[in-house]
Coordinates of all heavy atoms in Angstrom, one line a residue:
M1 N 0.8 -1.2 0.0 CA 0.0 0.0 0.0 C 0.9 1.3 0.0 O 0.6 2.2 -0.7 CB -0.9 0.0 1.2 CG -2.2 -0.9 1.1 SD -3.2 -0.5 -0.4 CE -4.1 0.9 0.3
I2 N 1.9 1.3 0.9 CA 2.8 2.4 1.0 C 3.5 2.7 -0.4 O 3.6 3.8 -0.9 CB 3.8 2.3 2.1 CG1 3.0 2.2 3.5 CG2 4.8 3.4 2.2 CD1 3.8 1.5 4.6
V3 N 3.9 1.6 -1.0 CA 4.6 1.7 -2.3 C 3.7 2.3 -3.4 O 4.1 3.2 -4.1 CB 5.1 0.3 -2.7 CG1 5.8 0.4 -4.1 CG2 6.1 -0.3 -1.7
V4 N 2.5 1.9 -3.4 CA 1.5 2.4 -4.3 C 1.3 3.9 -4.1 O 1.3 4.6 -5.0 CB 0.1 1.6 -4.2 CG1 -0.9 2.3 -5.1 CG2 0.3 0.2 -4.7
K5 N 1.1 4.3 -2.8 CA 0.9 5.7 -2.5 C 2.1 6.5 -3.0 O 1.9 7.6 -3.5 CB 0.6 5.9 -1.0 CG -0.8 5.7 -0.6 CD -1.0 6.1 0.8 CE -2.5 5.9 1.3 NZ -2.7 6.1 2.7
K6 N 3.3 6.0 -2.7 CA 4.5 6.8 -3.1 C 4.5 6.9 -4.6 O 4.8 8.0 -5.2 CB 5.7 6.0 -2.7 CG 6.2 6.4 -1.3 CD 7.5 5.8 -1.0 CE 8.0 6.2 0.4 NZ 9.2 5.5 0.8
G7 N 4.1 5.9 -5.3 CA 4.0 5.9 -6.8 C 3.0 7.0 -7.3 O 3.3 7.7 -8.2
V8 N 1.9 7.1 -6.6 CA 0.8 8.0 -7.0 C 1.3 9.4 -6.8 O 1.2 10.3 -7.7 CB -0.5 7.7 -6.2 CG1 -1.5 8.9 -6.4 CG2 -1.1 6.4 -6.7
V9 N 1.9 9.7 -5.6 CA 2.5 11.0 -5.3 C 3.5 11.4 -6.3 O 3.5 12.5 -6.8 CB 3.1 11.0 -3.9 CG1 3.9 12.3 -3.6 CG2 2.0 10.9 -2.8
R10 N 4.4 10.5 -6.7 CA 5.4 10.8 -7.7 C 4.8 11.1 -9.0 O 5.2 12.1 -9.7 CB 6.3 9.6 -7.8 CG 7.7 9.9 -8.5 CD 8.6 8.7 -8.5 NE 9.0 8.3 -7.2 CZ 9.5 7.1 -6.9 NH1 9.5 6.2 -7.9 NH2 9.9 6.8 -5.7
M11 N 3.7 10.4 -9.4 CA 3.1 10.6 -10.7 C 2.4 12.0 -10.7 O 2.5 12.8 -11.7 CB 2.0 9.6 -10.9 CG 1.7 9.3 -12.3 SD 0.5 8.0 -12.5 CE -1.0 8.9 -12.1
V12 N 1.8 12.4 -9.6 CA 1.1 13.7 -9.5 C 2.1 14.8 -9.5 O 2.0 15.8 -10.3 CB 0.3 13.8 -8.1 CG1 -0.2 15.2 -7.9 CG2 -0.9 12.8 -8.2
V13 N 3.2 14.6 -8.8 CA 4.3 15.7 -8.8 C 4.9 15.8 -10.2 O 5.0 16.9 -10.7 CB 5.4 15.3 -7.8 CG1 6.6 16.2 -7.9 CG2 4.8 15.4 -6.3
T14 N 5.1 14.7 -10.9 CA 5.7 14.7 -12.2 C 4.7 15.4 -13.2 O 5.1 16.3 -14.0 CB 6.0 13.3 -12.7 OG1 6.7 12.6 -11.7 CG2 6.7 13.3 -14.0
T15 N 3.4 15.1 -13.1 CA 2.4 15.7 -13.9 C 2.4 17.2 -13.7 O 2.3 18.0 -14.6 CB 1.0 15.1 -13.6 OG1 1.1 13.7 -13.7 CG2 0.0 15.6 -14.6
M16 N 2.4 17.6 -12.4 CA 2.4 19.1 -12.1 C 3.6 19.8 -12.6 O 3.5 20.9 -13.2 CB 2.3 19.3 -10.5 CG 0.9 19.2 -10.0 SD 0.9 19.1 -8.2 CE 1.2 20.8 -7.8
I17 N 4.8 19.1 -12.5 CA 6.0 19.7 -13.1 C 5.9 19.9 -14.6 O 6.3 20.9 -15.2 CB 7.3 18.9 -12.7 CG1 7.5 19.0 -11.2 CG2 8.5 19.3 -13.5 CD1 8.5 18.1 -10.6
I18 N 5.4 18.8 -15.3 CA 5.2 18.9 -16.7 C 4.3 20.0 -17.1 O 4.5 20.8 -18.1 CB 4.7 17.5 -17.3 CG1 5.9 16.4 -17.1 CG2 4.2 17.6 -18.7 CD1 5.4 15.0 -17.4
I19 N 3.1 20.1 -16.4 CA 2.2 21.2 -16.7 C 2.8 22.5 -16.5 O 2.7 23.4 -17.3 CB 0.9 21.0 -15.8 CG1 0.1 19.8 -16.2 CG2 0.0 22.3 -15.8 CD1 -1.0 19.4 -15.3
F20 N 3.6 22.7 -15.4 CA 4.2 24.0 -15.1 C 5.2 24.3 -16.2 O 5.2 25.5 -16.7 CB 5.0 23.9 -13.8 CG 5.7 25.1 -13.4 CD1 5.0 26.2 -13.0 CD2 7.1 25.2 -13.4 CE1 5.7 27.4 -12.6 CE2 7.8 26.3 -13.1 CZ 7.1 27.4 -12.7
I21 N 6.0 23.3 -16.7 CA 7.0 23.6 -17.7 C 6.3 23.9 -19.0 O 6.7 24.9 -19.7 CB 7.9 22.4 -17.9 CG1 8.9 22.2 -16.7 CG2 8.8 22.5 -19.2 CD1 9.7 20.9 -16.6
S22 N 5.2 23.2 -19.3 CA 4.4 23.5 -20.5 C 3.9 24.9 -20.5 O 3.9 25.7 -21.5 CB 3.3 22.5 -20.7 OG 3.7 21.2 -20.6
L23 N 3.4 25.4 -19.3 CA 2.9 26.7 -19.2 C 3.9 27.8 -19.4 O 3.7 28.7 -20.1 CB 2.3 26.9 -17.8 CG 0.8 26.6 -17.6 CD1 0.4 26.6 -16.2 CD2 -0.1 27.6 -18.4
V24 N 5.1 27.5 -18.8 CA 6.2 28.5 -19.0 C 6.6 28.6 -20.5 O 6.8 29.6 -21.0 CB 7.4 28.1 -18.1 CG1 8.7 28.9 -18.4 CG2 7.0 28.3 -16.6
L25 N 6.7 27.4 -21.1 CA 7.1 27.4 -22.5 C 6.1 28.1 -23.4 O 6.4 28.9 -24.2 CB 7.2 25.9 -23.0 CG 8.5 25.2 -22.6 CD1 8.5 23.8 -23.0 CD2 9.7 25.9 -23.3
L26 N 4.8 27.8 -23.1 CA 3.7 28.5 -23.8 C 3.7 30.0 -23.7 O 3.6 30.7 -24.6 CB 2.3 27.9 -23.3 CG 1.7 26.9 -24.2 CD1 0.5 26.3 -23.5 CD2 1.2 27.5 -25.5
L27 N 3.9 30.4 -22.4 CA 4.0 31.9 -22.1 C 5.1 32.5 -22.9 O 5.0 33.6 -23.5 CB 4.1 32.1 -20.6 CG 2.8 32.1 -19.9 CD1 3.0 32.2 -18.4 CD2 1.9 33.3 -20.3
S28 N 6.3 31.9 -22.8 CA 7.5 32.5 -23.5 C 7.3 32.5 -25.0 O 7.7 33.4 -25.7 CB 8.8 31.8 -23.1 OG 8.6 30.5 -22.8
F29 N 6.7 31.4 -25.5 CA 6.4 31.4 -26.9 C 5.4 32.4 -27.4 O 5.6 33.1 -28.3 CB 5.9 30.0 -27.3 CG 5.7 29.8 -28.8 CD1 6.8 29.6 -29.6 CD2 4.4 29.7 -29.3 CE1 6.7 29.4 -31.0 CE2 4.3 29.5 -30.7 CZ 5.4 29.4 -31.5
G30 N 4.4 32.6 -26.6 CA 3.4 33.6 -26.8 C 4.0 35.0 -26.8 O 3.7 35.9 -27.7
Y31 N 4.8 35.2 -25.8 CA 5.5 36.5 -25.7 C 6.4 36.8 -26.8 O 6.5 37.9 -27.4 CB 6.3 36.6 -24.4 CG 7.0 37.9 -24.1 CD1 6.3 39.0 -23.7 CD2 8.4 38.0 -24.4 CE1 6.9 40.2 -23.5 CE2 9.0 39.2 -24.2 CZ 8.3 40.3 -23.8 OH 8.9 41.5 -23.6
F32 N 7.1 35.7 -27.3 CA 8.0 35.8 -28.4 C 7.2 36.2 -29.7 O 7.6 37.1 -30.4 CB 8.7 34.5 -28.6 CG 9.7 34.5 -29.8 CD1 10.8 35.2 -29.8 CD2 9.4 33.7 -30.9 CE1 11.7 35.2 -30.9 CE2 10.3 33.6 -32.0 CZ 11.4 34.4 -32.0
I33 N 6.1 35.6 -29.9 CA 5.2 35.9 -31.1 C 4.7 37.3 -31.0 O 4.8 38.1 -32.0 CB 4.1 34.9 -31.2 CG1 4.6 33.4 -31.5 CG2 3.0 35.3 -32.2 CD1 5.2 33.2 -32.9
Y34 N 4.2 37.7 -29.8 CA 3.7 39.0 -29.6 C 4.8 40.1 -29.9 O 4.6 41.1 -30.6 CB 3.2 39.2 -28.2 CG 2.8 40.6 -27.8 CD1 1.6 41.1 -28.2 CD2 3.6 41.4 -27.0 CE1 1.2 42.3 -27.8 CE2 3.3 42.7 -26.7 CZ 2.0 43.1 -27.1 OH 1.7 44.4 -26.8
Y35 N 6.0 39.8 -29.4 CA 7.1 40.7 -29.6 C 7.4 40.9 -31.1 O 7.7 42.0 -31.6 CB 8.3 40.2 -28.8 CG 9.5 41.1 -28.9 CD1 9.6 42.2 -28.1 CD2 10.6 40.8 -29.8 CE1 10.7 43.0 -28.2 CE2 11.7 41.6 -29.9 CZ 11.8 42.7 -29.1 OH 12.9 43.6 -29.1
L36 N 7.4 39.8 -31.8 CA 7.7 39.8 -33.2 C 6.7 40.6 -34.0 O 7.0 41.5 -34.8 CB 7.7 38.4 -33.8 CG 9.0 37.6 -33.7 CD1 8.8 36.2 -34.4 CD2 10.1 38.3 -34.4
I37 N 5.4 40.4 -33.7 CA 4.3 41.2 -34.3 C 4.4 42.7 -34.0 O 4.3 43.5 -34.8 CB 2.9 40.6 -33.9 CG1 2.8 39.2 -34.5 CG2 1.8 41.5 -34.5 CD1 1.6 38.4 -33.9
F38 N 4.6 42.9 -32.7 CA 4.7 44.3 -32.2 C 5.9 45.0 -32.8 O 5.8 46.2 -33.2 CB 4.8 44.3 -30.7 CG 4.7 45.7 -30.1 CD1 3.5 46.3 -30.0 CD2 5.8 46.3 -29.5 CE1 3.4 47.6 -29.5 CE2 5.7 47.6 -29.0 CZ 4.5 48.2 -29.0
N39 N 7.0 44.3 -32.9 CA 8.2 44.9 -33.4 C 8.1 45.3 -34.9 O 8.7 46.2 -35.3 CB 9.4 43.9 -33.2 CG 10.6 44.6 -32.7 OD1 10.5 45.7 -32.1 ND2 11.8 44.0 -32.9
N40 N 7.3 44.5 -35.7 CA 7.1 44.8 -37.1 C 6.3 46.1 -37.3 O 6.5 46.8 -38.3 CB 6.4 43.7 -37.8 CG 7.4 42.5 -38.0 OD1 8.6 42.7 -38.0 ND2 6.8 41.3 -38.2
K41 N 5.4 46.4 -36.3 CA 4.6 47.6 -36.4 C 5.4 48.9 -36.1 O 5.0 49.9 -36.6 CB 3.4 47.5 -35.5 CG 2.3 46.6 -36.0 CD 1.1 46.6 -35.1 CE 0.0 45.7 -35.6 NZ -1.1 45.6 -34.5
V42 N 6.4 48.8 -35.3 CA 7.2 49.9 -34.9 C 8.1 50.4 -36.0 O 8.9 49.6 -36.5 CB 8.0 49.7 -33.6 CG1 8.8 50.9 -33.2 CG2 7.0 49.3 -32.5
K43 N 7.9 51.6 -36.5 CA 8.7 52.2 -37.5 C 9.6 53.2 -36.8 O 9.3 53.9 -35.9 CB 7.9 52.8 -38.6 CG 7.4 51.8 -39.6 CD 6.7 52.5 -40.7 CE 5.2 52.7 -40.4 NZ 4.5 53.3 -41.5
K44 N 10.8 53.3 -37.4 CA 11.8 54.3 -36.9 C 11.9 55.4 -37.9 O 12.4 55.2 -39.0 CB 13.1 53.7 -36.5 CG 13.1 52.9 -35.2 CD 14.4 52.3 -34.9 CE 14.4 51.6 -33.5 NZ 15.6 50.9 -33.2
L45 N 11.5 56.6 -37.5 CA 11.6 57.8 -38.4 C 12.3 58.9 -37.7 O 12.3 59.0 -36.5 CB 10.1 58.2 -38.8 CG 9.3 57.2 -39.6 CD1 7.9 57.7 -39.8 CD2 9.9 57.0 -41.0
N46 N 12.8 59.8 -38.5 CA 13.5 60.9 -38.0 C 12.6 62.1 -37.8 O 11.8 62.5 -38.7 CB 14.7 61.3 -38.9 CG 15.8 60.3 -38.8 OD1 16.1 59.7 -37.7 ND2 16.4 59.9 -39.9
C47 N 12.8 62.8 -36.6 CA 12.0 64.0 -36.4 C 12.5 65.1 -37.3 O 13.7 65.4 -37.4 CB 12.2 64.4 -34.9 SG 11.5 66.0 -34.5
P48 N 11.5 65.8 -38.0 CA 11.9 66.9 -38.9 C 12.5 68.1 -38.2 O 13.2 68.9 -38.8 CB 10.7 67.2 -39.7 CG 9.6 66.7 -38.8 CD 10.1 65.6 -38.0
T49 N 12.1 68.3 -36.9 CA 12.6 69.5 -36.2 C 14.0 69.3 -35.6 O 14.9 70.1 -35.8 CB 11.6 69.8 -35.1 OG1 10.3 69.8 -35.7 CG2 11.8 71.2 -34.5
C50 N 14.2 68.2 -34.8 CA 15.5 68.0 -34.2 C 16.3 66.9 -34.8 O 17.5 66.7 -34.4 CB 15.2 67.7 -32.7 SG 14.4 66.2 -32.3
G51 N 15.7 66.2 -35.7 CA 16.5 65.2 -36.5 C 16.8 63.9 -35.8 O 17.5 63.0 -36.2
R52 N 16.2 63.7 -34.6 CA 16.4 62.5 -33.8 C 15.5 61.4 -34.2 O 14.4 61.6 -34.7 CB 16.2 62.7 -32.3 CG 17.4 63.5 -31.7 CD 17.3 63.5 -30.3 NE 17.6 64.9 -29.8 CZ 18.1 65.1 -28.6 NH1 18.4 64.1 -27.8 NH2 18.3 66.3 -28.1
E53 N 16.0 60.1 -34.0 CA 15.2 59.0 -34.4 C 14.1 58.7 -33.4 O 14.3 58.7 -32.2 CB 16.1 57.7 -34.5 CG 15.5 56.6 -35.3 CD 16.5 55.5 -35.5 OE1 16.9 54.9 -34.5 OE2 16.9 55.2 -36.7
L54 N 12.9 58.5 -33.9 CA 11.7 58.2 -33.1 C 11.1 56.9 -33.5 O 11.1 56.5 -34.6 CB 10.6 59.3 -33.3 CG 11.1 60.8 -33.1 CD1 10.0 61.7 -33.5 CD2 11.4 61.0 -31.6
K55 N 10.5 56.3 -32.5 CA 9.7 55.1 -32.7 C 8.3 55.5 -33.0 O 7.6 56.1 -32.1 CB 9.8 54.1 -31.5 CG 11.1 53.3 -31.5 CD 11.1 52.4 -30.3 CE 12.4 51.7 -30.2 NZ 12.5 50.9 -29.0
V56 N 7.8 55.2 -34.1 CA 6.4 55.6 -34.5 C 5.5 54.4 -34.4 O 5.6 53.4 -35.2 CB 6.4 56.2 -35.9 CG1 5.0 56.7 -36.3 CG2 7.4 57.3 -36.0
I57 N 4.5 54.4 -33.5 CA 3.5 53.4 -33.4 C 2.2 53.9 -33.9 O 1.5 53.1 -34.6 CB 3.4 52.9 -31.9 CG1 4.8 52.5 -31.4 CG2 2.5 51.7 -31.8 CD1 4.9 52.5 -29.9
Q58 N 1.9 55.1 -33.6 CA 0.6 55.7 -34.1 C 0.9 56.6 -35.3 O 2.0 56.9 -35.6 CB -0.1 56.5 -32.9 CG -0.3 55.7 -31.7 CD -0.4 56.6 -30.5 OE1 0.6 57.1 -30.1 NE2 -1.6 56.7 -29.9
K59 N -0.2 57.0 -35.9 CA -0.1 58.0 -37.0 C 0.4 59.3 -36.6 O 1.1 60.0 -37.2 CB -1.4 58.0 -37.8 CG -1.7 56.9 -38.7 CD -0.9 57.0 -40.0 CE -1.1 55.8 -40.9 NZ -0.2 55.8 -42.1
T60 N -0.2 59.7 -35.4 CA 0.2 61.1 -34.9 C 1.0 60.9 -33.6 O 0.6 60.1 -32.7 CB -1.0 61.9 -34.6 OG1 -1.9 61.2 -33.7 CG2 -1.7 62.3 -35.9
I61 N 2.1 61.5 -33.5 CA 3.0 61.4 -32.3 C 3.5 62.8 -31.9 O 3.4 63.7 -32.6 CB 4.1 60.4 -32.5 CG1 5.0 60.8 -33.7 CG2 3.7 59.0 -32.6 CD1 6.4 60.3 -33.6
K62 N 4.1 62.8 -30.7 CA 4.7 64.0 -30.2 C 6.2 63.6 -29.9 O 6.5 62.6 -29.2 CB 4.0 64.4 -28.9 CG 4.4 65.8 -28.5 CD 3.5 66.2 -27.2 CE 3.9 67.5 -26.7 NZ 3.3 67.8 -25.4
C63 N 7.1 64.4 -30.4 CA 8.5 64.2 -30.3 C 8.9 64.3 -28.8 O 8.6 65.4 -28.2 CB 9.3 65.1 -31.1 SG 11.1 64.8 -30.9
P64 N 9.5 63.3 -28.2 CA 9.9 63.4 -26.7 C 11.1 64.3 -26.5 O 11.3 64.7 -25.4 CB 10.2 62.0 -26.4 CG 10.6 61.3 -27.6 CD 9.8 62.0 -28.7
H65 N 11.8 64.7 -27.6 CA 13.0 65.5 -27.4 C 12.7 67.0 -27.6 O 13.1 67.8 -26.8 CB 14.0 65.1 -28.4 CG 14.3 63.6 -28.4 ND1 15.0 63.1 -27.3 CD2 14.0 62.6 -29.2 CE1 15.2 61.8 -27.5 NE2 14.5 61.5 -28.6
C66 N 11.9 67.4 -28.6 CA 11.7 68.8 -28.9 C 10.2 69.2 -28.8 O 9.8 70.3 -29.0 CB 12.2 69.2 -30.3 SG 11.4 68.3 -31.6
K67 N 9.4 68.2 -28.4 CA 7.9 68.4 -28.1 C 7.1 68.9 -29.3 O 6.1 69.4 -29.2 CB 7.7 69.4 -27.0 CG 8.5 69.2 -25.7 CD 8.1 67.9 -25.0 CE 9.0 67.7 -23.8 NZ 9.0 66.3 -23.3
S68 N 7.7 68.6 -30.5 CA 6.9 68.9 -31.7 C 5.8 67.9 -32.0 O 5.9 66.7 -31.7 CB 7.9 68.8 -33.0 OG 8.9 69.7 -32.8
K69 N 4.7 68.5 -32.4 CA 3.6 67.6 -32.8 C 3.7 67.2 -34.2 O 3.8 68.0 -35.1 CB 2.2 68.4 -32.6 CG 1.9 68.5 -31.1 CD 0.6 69.3 -31.0 CE 0.2 69.5 -29.5 NZ -0.9 70.5 -29.4
L70 N 3.8 65.8 -34.4 CA 4.1 65.3 -35.7 C 3.0 64.3 -36.2 O 2.3 63.8 -35.4 CB 5.4 64.6 -35.7 CG 6.6 65.4 -35.1 CD1 7.7 64.4 -34.7 CD2 7.1 66.4 -36.0
F71 N 3.0 64.1 -37.5 CA 2.1 63.1 -38.0 C 2.9 62.4 -39.2 O 3.8 63.0 -39.8 CB 0.8 63.6 -38.5 CG 0.8 64.4 -39.8 CD1 0.6 63.8 -41.0 CD2 1.1 65.8 -39.7 CE1 0.6 64.6 -42.2 CE2 1.2 66.5 -40.9 CZ 1.0 65.9 -42.1
E72 N 2.5 61.2 -39.4 CA 3.2 60.4 -40.5 C 2.5 60.7 -41.8 O 1.3 60.5 -42.0 CB 3.1 58.9 -40.2 CG 4.1 58.1 -41.0 CD 3.9 56.6 -40.9 OE1 3.3 56.1 -39.9 OE2 4.3 55.9 -41.8
H73 N 3.3 61.2 -42.7 CA 2.7 61.6 -44.1 C 2.6 60.3 -44.9 O 3.2 59.3 -44.6 CB 3.7 62.6 -44.7 CG 3.1 63.3 -45.9 ND1 3.3 62.9 -47.2 CD2 2.2 64.4 -46.0 CE1 2.6 63.7 -48.0 NE2 2.0 64.6 -47.3
E74 N 1.9 60.4 -46.0 CA 1.7 59.3 -46.9 C 3.0 58.8 -47.5 O 3.1 57.6 -47.8 CB 0.7 59.7 -48.0 CG -0.8 59.7 -47.5 CD -1.7 60.2 -48.6 OE1 -1.2 60.7 -49.6 OE2 -2.9 60.2 -48.3
N75 N 3.9 59.7 -47.7 CA 5.2 59.3 -48.3 C 6.1 58.6 -47.2 O 7.3 58.3 -47.6 CB 5.9 60.4 -49.0 CG 6.3 61.6 -48.0 OD1 6.2 61.4 -46.8 ND2 6.6 62.7 -48.5
G76 N 5.6 58.4 -46.0 CA 6.4 57.7 -45.0 C 7.3 58.5 -44.2 O 8.1 58.0 -43.4
E77 N 7.2 59.8 -44.3 CA 8.0 60.7 -43.5 C 7.2 61.5 -42.5 O 6.0 61.6 -42.7 CB 8.7 61.8 -44.5 CG 9.9 61.2 -45.2 CD 10.6 62.2 -46.2 OE1 10.5 63.4 -45.9 OE2 11.1 61.7 -47.2
L78 N 7.9 61.9 -41.4 CA 7.2 62.6 -40.4 C 7.1 64.1 -40.8 O 8.0 64.7 -41.4 CB 8.0 62.5 -39.1 CG 7.8 61.2 -38.3 CD1 8.7 61.2 -37.1 CD2 6.3 61.0 -37.9
M79 N 6.0 64.7 -40.5 CA 5.8 66.1 -40.8 C 5.1 66.8 -39.6 O 4.5 66.2 -38.8 CB 4.9 66.3 -42.0 CG 5.5 65.8 -43.3 SD 4.7 66.4 -44.7 CE 5.9 66.3 -46.0
L80 N 5.4 68.1 -39.5 CA 4.8 68.9 -38.4 C 3.3 69.0 -38.6 O 2.8 69.2 -39.7 CB 5.5 70.3 -38.4 CG 6.8 70.4 -37.7 CD1 7.4 71.8 -38.0 CD2 6.6 70.2 -36.2
R81 N 2.7 68.9 -37.4 CA 1.2 69.0 -37.4 C 0.8 70.4 -36.9 O 1.4 70.9 -35.9 CB 0.7 67.9 -36.4 CG -0.8 67.8 -36.3 CD -1.1 66.4 -35.8 NE -0.3 65.9 -34.7 CZ -0.8 65.7 -33.4 NH1 -2.0 66.0 -33.1 NH2 0.0 65.3 -32.5
N82 N -0.1 71.0 -37.5 CA -0.5 72.4 -37.1 C -1.7 72.3 -36.2 O -2.6 71.6 -36.3 CB -0.9 73.2 -38.3 CG 0.4 73.4 -39.2 OD1 1.4 73.8 -38.7 ND2 0.2 73.2 -40.5
Ligands
ZN101 ZN1 12.1 66.3 -32.3

């Protein structure tokens, strides 16, 4: 009886460890995929006022360096917003 109980406990512990490892792997895989998709959306453009490189996620942004209000033009360049 004791041997059987020990076997069951070991099986449960092993199953829990496998589930935990699978969860960690799934989470890191999901994060990796999310990072890849998110990274593709981020464009790097130069600010027309101060010339510094900015990460553009939205169509309209504000330069963190010179506080210029900018928008992304159709030709892919940043322009000043009035
Ligand atoms: Zn700027």
Side-chain angles (χ1 to χ4, degrees):
M1 280 304 278
I2 297 161
V3 175
V4 170
K5 273 188 181 176
K6 271 188 179 174
V8 168
V9 168
R10 197 177 293 159
M11 207 177 78
V12 169
V13 169
T14 311
T15 310
M16 278 170 75
I17 290 169
I18 289 168
I19 289 168
F20 180 73
I21 290 169
S22 309
L23 269 172
V24 169
L25 279 174
L26 258 169
L27 275 172
S28 32
F29 185 72
Y31 181 76
F32 179 67
I33 293 292
Y34 174 79
Y35 183 78
L36 275 182
I37 294 166
F38 187 73
N39 225 23
N40 284 340
K41 278 182 185 173
V42 176
K43 278 187 271 181
K44 282 181 178 175
L45 296 170
N46 290 320
C47 172
T49 312
C50 65
R52 285 189 226 210
E53 201 174 61
L54 304 169
K55 281 179 183 175
V56 182
I57 304 162
Q58 302 154 293
K59 281 279 176 190
T60 55
I61 56 157
K62 196 177 175 186
C63 178
H65 306 289
C66 63
K67 312 291 178 202
S68 300
K69 286 177 181 174
L70 308 162
F71 74 95
E72 198 192 334
H73 196 261
E74 284 172 355
N75 63 13
E77 283 177 30
L78 283 174
M79 290 197 160
L80 275 170
R81 184 157 45 111
N82 296 314

